[in-house]
Amino acid sequence: MSKQSDIFVKMHASYEKKFALSMLKEFRKVFRNIPFDEINESNADVLIRSKLNPISIEKALETSYLSIGLQYGRLVENSIRNEEKAFKPKGLFSLKFRNLILSYLTTQGGELISTLTDTMVTEVVKVLRESVESTDTLSQAITKVKKAVNSPSFYRWQAMRIARTETTFAMNSAKLMAVSESGVIYNKVWAHSRAKQERPEHLALNNTEVGETEMFNVGGVAMEYPGDKRGGAKQCINCRCTFTYRPKRDNNGRLMFK
């Protein structure tokens, strides 16, 4: 793997843990507010959803995206600056990345939040129904649900999957924007994550190089970068791939700018 990829992998591992903890914190607010004295198998779904706060969830997502993307994007800017002393960032990356995230949350955030809440509610209701079906009394079933949702491990696997996917999106979209805003002339190179369960089409793309404005053909789907939402769930969920930027140089080996 290249130095760029090594840095991505290392930072991704740290970022996705923080992202998952942020999501778990939000959902545990919901767990604490479930009216267990009113809940039963038939009304559980509705009661739990009544305690959801989509605005709070969206804010948590926004905070995580910006924290990850801005930090990683600035690292990319600094890397270019260190290599090319004459390079001075235009100062537009941060603003444009913020606008990208706000636009994404405005246009697709509702769908993402719906998916997050659906899986969370399903997990809680599943515990209740499995307990009732095992001939527990309603009181015993509710006790099991309380114990389950208060466990540190409850929903953690699902939160990590969500965090992994959204961290890849945040990091790679920030990298693309930071490199583009730098004005450097470059190509993009797909870098496979080396994950054991990564998609075959992602592995096949490893080291594939395209122009900076060209798209990667990912199983017949055009994507600007790994994690690009154009790929849909099929190409994005659980993906840890990245891309490296390969700058073009003049005859003296110096970076070429537009």
Side-chain angles (χ1 to χ4, degrees):
M1 297 178 73
S2 69
K3 182 178 179 181
Q4 286 186 43
S5 298
D6 287 339
I7 293 172
F8 176 90
V9 170
K10 182 178 180 180
M11 297 188 74
H12 192 290
S14 174
Y15 285 150
E16 73 175 50
K17 288 178 183 177
K18 292 179 181 178
F19 202 121
L21 288 174
S22 175
M23 290 295 97
L24 284 169
K25 182 179 179 181
E26 278 303 308
F27 286 127
R28 281 175 181 148
K29 291 179 186 177
V30 179
F31 300 155
R32 287 195 296 270
N33 292 323
I34 295 175
F36 287 106
D37 56 335
E38 302 173 25
I39 204 167
N40 58 55
E41 188 180 359
S42 62
N43 70 10
D45 189 289
V46 174
L47 276 180
I48 296 169
R49 289 181 188 279
S50 72
K51 300 302 176 181
L52 292 168
N53 184 347
I55 295 176
S56 181
I57 296 172
E58 181 176 322
K59 188 63 180 177
L61 286 168
E62 179 185 336
T63 299
S64 292
Y65 286 140
L66 292 179
S67 174
I68 291 168
L70 291 175
Q71 184 177 357
Y72 185 61
R74 287 171 186 142
L75 181 69
V76 173
E77 279 190 331
N78 288 335
S79 177
I80 297 173
R81 181 190 291 112
N82 290 337
E83 186 172 358
E84 180 58 68
K85 301 301 182 183
F87 165 63
K88 294 182 179 180
K90 298 179 181 179
L92 298 177
F93 158 68
S94 295
L95 176 62
K96 290 197 172 184
F97 182 71
R98 288 178 187 276
N99 289 339
L100 170 72
I101 293 303
L102 292 177
S103 175
Y104 168 67
L105 288 172
T106 299
T107 58
Q108 300 182 52
E111 182 180 349
L112 174 60
I113 291 169
S114 178
T115 299
L116 299 182
T117 54
D118 282 348
T119 57
M120 185 273 291
V121 172
T122 297
E123 286 298 308
V124 179
V125 174
K126 179 183 175 183
V127 175
L128 178 64
R129 287 179 177 162
E130 286 180 349
S131 183
V132 170
E133 289 169 3
S134 70
T135 70
D136 284 340
T137 65
L138 180 59
S139 177
Q140 290 172 326
I142 290 174
T143 297
K144 284 187 177 179
V145 174
K146 285 182 179 179
K147 183 178 180 180
V149 300
N150 287 317
S151 167
S153 62
F154 186 75
Y155 201 67
R156 183 173 291 276
W157 180 85
Q158 292 89 338
M160 285 301 295
R161 182 188 64 182
I162 294 162
R164 184 174 303 124
T165 303
E166 300 309 316
T167 297
T168 298
F169 161 65
M171 292 181 73
N172 284 331
S173 60
K175 178 191 283 188
L176 182 73
M177 190 159 290
V179 181
S180 297
E181 285 303 306
S182 75
V184 70
I185 301 173
Y186 68 98
N187 284 345
K188 299 178 294 189
V189 183
W190 189 286
H192 184 252
S193 68
R194 306 294 184 188
K196 292 180 180 178
Q197 297 179 334
E198 192 56 89
R199 297 161 177 81
E201 55 267 44
H202 291 199
L203 178 59
L205 275 172
N206 194 42
N207 293 323
T208 297
E209 185 170 342
V210 300
E212 60 183 278
T213 61
E214 294 180 321
M215 309 286 270
F216 292 104
N217 183 343
V218 190
V221 179
M223 296 173 64
E224 269 195 293
Y225 50 83
D228 181 359
K229 296 297 183 177
R230 294 180 183 89
K234 182 179 179 181
Q235 300 300 347
C236 292
I237 289 179
N238 271 334
C239 176
R240 285 194 183 102
C241 293
T242 186
F243 73 94
T244 60
Y245 61 92
R246 185 166 292 168
K248 296 185 178 180
R249 301 176 183 277
D250 61 22
N251 292 334
N252 295 316
R254 297 176 65 84
L255 297 181
M256 296 173 62
F257 290 85
K258 299 168 187 174

